[in-house]
Amino acid sequence: MRIANSENFSLQEFFASEGKSLLERVQPFSEYLHATRAQGLALYAREIVGPTGTRVEIREPSTGKLRSLVMMGSNNYLGLANHPYVKQAVIRSIEESGVGMGGPPLLNGMNALHRELEIRLAQLKHQEDALLYPSGFQANLGWIAALLRSKDYLIYDELHHASVFDGIKVARASARIHTRSFKHNDVENLKRVLIHAQEDLQPGARIFLAVEGVYSMDGDLAPLPEICKLAREFDATLVLDDAHGTGVLGKKGSGTAEHFGLSDQIDLAMGTFSKAFGVVGGFIAGPKQVIDYLRYFSNAYMFSAHLPQAVAAAVLAGLDLVEKNEDLRTSLRDNVEYMLQGLGKIGYSVKSESAIIPVILPEKTDVRALGKMLHDEGLFANMIEYPAVPKDAQRIRLSVMSDHRREDLDFALGLLAKAARQFDLLSVE
């Protein structure tokens, strides 16, 4: 039976190093990393020259030469990072508003673009207001540290993003909060955890329930109808992290809640601009009183410089396209289905409800050698290794885009068929 993966870890737990000086502490890992890079097995932080589209030019570290790869490792699901409409909006914003605010929004102010974006995001998420963070990671840090009090319970899916685990650490530094995870997407287990929390809940304390709309490693959706029902039954504040669902799911691209027809059941909606919108930044949308409170009590917001105006302009332009052009999502769904059918014909056992397709590998697979083969042959894909996932659930994580051409997908499928033969990848039980 496969053990669930979790992002609640630090590499320090797997690569301990000691030493009197700072360099002595980091030297063992430095030597390991350089040795792995020399073998071409460390496919991290690959240098991309030019835009990140369906094909990318990368600079080979060993030769310095440029090579073209089919990109299936980017979260730029709708191709907005390079869309002409978005680029023109960014250029126009720079000419009109400059490139930065020079400090955090509370004291240094916000540009009209920032406020317009907050209003548009609140409308997208069917909430009263929203505020912007420099990243989705900080958005999760921000709401957890600001809203939880001593004796409160934070209950979360065991596969939630690492930012939630770090948010818990920050909250625990100032408050004695209770935290409990539940088995991934297991509604019965969640109910048992909620019953325990309710029985143990002190007067004045609250239960917060945090789930993702789309989980980044498996591409599966949270069972939101059942989760929303439980949140109401146990009077829990439901916080939905829809980083991978926003823009992608729902008739208007609102996300996972809209997909299930449950937009009015979400208490706080969190999202990021680093996926479908192709840039950087995050947000929280919710009741106006809660958002006003976060503006003054969330350190991740108060003490961070505001997003560059160009980023706000890029997301606003992206929202225009998301809301008015359903063809983007239709093309994405068609491409995902094409890949799923193609992988199935090869013999892979795959499924996905989103733009993420995980190809689970046999435990015996030399994941890094496989990754090098795909890279050398011209496919940019992300190899997900232990400890990010269990050893028997290591995988190729494919990210599909709406503007992938069929020739791109056919190339990837052909190479994955070759990899299946060369590495005996179809022996997963």
Side-chain angles (χ1 to χ4, degrees), residues 47 49 57-69:
E47 182 184 350
V49 180
E57 294 286 327
I58 63 102
R59 190 186 306 279
E60 289 288 1
S62 58
T63 65
K65 294 182 179 179
L66 298 182
R67 291 182 55 231
S68 177
L69 277 70

Side-chain angles (χ1 to χ4, degrees), residues 15 26-36:
F15 207 105
V26 302
Q27 184 176 355
F29 177 74
S30 179
E31 292 175 350
Y32 166 79
L33 181 61
H34 283 289
T36 308

Side-chain angles (χ1 to χ4, degrees), residues 147-154 176-178 204-206 208:
L147 297 182
L148 267 72
R149 298 286 181 270
S150 291
K151 310 302 182 182
D152 282 346
Y153 265 85
L154 175 56
R176 292 186 175 183
I177 64 171
H178 302 284
R206 284 206 58 76
F208 290 80

Side-chain angles (χ1 to χ4, degrees), residues 281-314:
F283 68 93
I284 294 284
K288 181 169 178 52
Q289 288 180 309
V290 176
I291 298 304
D292 285 343
Y293 183 90
L294 287 172
R295 291 190 197 279
Y296 290 85
F297 287 84
S298 175
N299 284 356
Y301 176 81
M302 282 184 64
F303 297 102
S304 294
H306 218 330
L307 289 171
Q309 295 90 309
V311 171

Side-chain angles (χ1 to χ4, degrees), residues 319-335:
L319 282 170
D320 289 342
L321 295 169
V322 164
E323 294 170 352
K324 298 175 183 177
N325 190 354
E326 193 174 347
D327 290 346
L328 289 172
R329 286 182 293 283
T330 301
S331 297
L332 178 60
R333 287 194 294 269
D334 289 346
N335 283 345

Side-chain angles (χ1 to χ4, degrees), residues 89-105:
V90 169
I91 292 169
R92 188 166 59 251
S93 75
I94 292 173
E95 292 175 343
E96 295 176 355
S97 303
V99 297
M101 294 298 297

Side-chain angles (χ1 to χ4, degrees), residues 181-184 186-195:
S181 66
F182 64 94
K183 294 180 181 178
H184 177 54
D186 188 328
V187 177
E188 290 303 316
N189 183 240
L190 169 59
K191 185 172 183 178
R192 290 193 292 271
V193 173
L194 284 166
I195 289 172

